[in-house]
Amino acid sequence: MARMSLKKIAIVLSLLGLIGPLFWVFMRNGLEPTVFGATVSMCLALTVLNLWDQQRVSRKLALEDVEASREMMEKSQFRAALNRLESALKHDPACFEVRVARGEIYRCEQAYDLARRELVEAIQIRPNSFRAHFALGLTYLQEKKVFEAVSEFRRTIELKPDFSEAHFILAQSYELAGEKSKALEAYRNFLKVVSGEQDTSRKIADYVERSQLRIMALK
């Protein structure tokens, strides 16, 4: 449950607190049943609306913290990134993305046991999270558990077929596993996916060049 601001708490308590006096007036025939029912319904509806709005705002703030944390991770500011995730949890204690990001950071720190625990638990919570599967695959790959990594990358692509980086890393994993024909197919699939992208990053452009070289070598 997202943490509520003092303003939202005051509004919700005021709306709910209004129901008691209305009921007291109604029991003394001071309100028509239809008026009483409509007023109580309005109070409840406004309460639900305020709770929903608080949840929306809290989740937005939490996701902003997660994104900032990932930017810090890219700069190898791992401790600062983890601290930013704690800030995200203050906004939304149930934020799923925090668990995945934490796993990604632990992987970068080479704390593989912690990374696996976070990511496996994340997948148990949300089995269709392609990002969690991909991060777990990278963790396995860094641990040299190639076959486990291949399984995770294949699952990632099942969930998000247009995830170009997953195709490239899968191809590399197949090469490490000695599966040259599968690696060749994965490299070609990567190039097909990339060809449909409007803009590519420098990293993806490098992957394209490397894929073309590996395809020539594997033929």
Side-chain angles (χ1 to χ4, degrees), residues 1-193:
M1 183 65 180
R3 178 176 294 183
M4 293 183 66
S5 66
L6 293 176
K7 181 179 178 180
K8 288 292 184 183
I9 291 174
I11 292 172
V12 169
L13 290 178
S14 297
L15 289 168
L16 293 176
L18 186 59
I19 295 175
L22 287 172
F23 182 73
W24 184 84
V25 174
F26 171 70
M27 291 300 293
R28 283 157 177 74
N29 299 318
L31 281 177
E32 293 291 330
T34 53
V35 175
F36 171 73
T39 307
V40 170
S41 296
M42 185 178 296
C43 288
L44 293 175
L46 289 172
T47 297
V48 171
L49 183 62
N50 274 277
L51 291 172
W52 174 84
D53 184 62
Q54 178 64 39
Q55 181 68 32
R56 180 188 62 81
V57 171
S58 295
R59 177 160 176 76
K60 179 176 180 293
L61 292 172
L63 291 179
E64 287 176 357
D65 281 335
V66 171
E67 188 60 31
S69 173
R70 288 198 168 112
E71 291 175 3
M72 293 173 183
M73 180 181 69
E74 291 294 328
K75 299 174 183 176
S76 298
Q77 299 172 354
F78 303 129
R79 291 296 97 188
L82 288 171
N83 289 338
R84 194 61 182 264
L85 292 180
E86 292 301 317
S87 175
L89 289 175
K90 291 179 181 178
H91 294 300
D92 183 4
C95 184
F96 171 81
E97 288 78 7
V98 167
R99 186 180 292 276
V100 178
R102 199 154 46 197
E104 292 171 338
I105 294 168
Y106 287 145
R107 175 184 63 79
C108 291
E109 290 187 310
Q110 298 183 359
Y112 300 126
D113 288 342
L114 292 176
R116 269 188 281 103
R117 185 182 66 189
E118 290 286 349
L119 295 168
V120 168
E121 289 179 1
I123 290 170
Q124 290 172 344
I125 295 169
R126 194 177 295 178
N128 292 333
S129 170
F130 76 90
R131 184 149 197 161
H133 282 286
F134 184 66
L136 183 57
L138 291 176
T139 302
Y140 283 137
L141 194 60
Q142 287 182 233
E143 292 184 285
K144 303 187 186 307
K145 298 177 179 178
V146 180
F147 294 103
E148 291 91 337
V150 165
S151 177
E152 292 301 324
F153 295 138
R154 285 172 60 89
R155 181 58 178 151
T156 301
I157 291 169
E158 287 176 8
L159 293 168
K160 190 170 176 59
D162 62 346
F163 189 4
S164 58
E165 186 175 0
H167 286 278
F168 177 79
I169 303 299
L170 174 62
Q172 291 203 313
S173 300
Y174 276 137
E175 280 207 75
L176 290 172
E179 300 277 0
K180 292 186 178 181
S181 61
K182 291 183 178 179
L184 184 60
E185 180 184 4
Y187 281 125
R188 286 171 173 164
N189 287 337
F190 164 72
L191 292 178
K192 287 179 184 177
V193 172

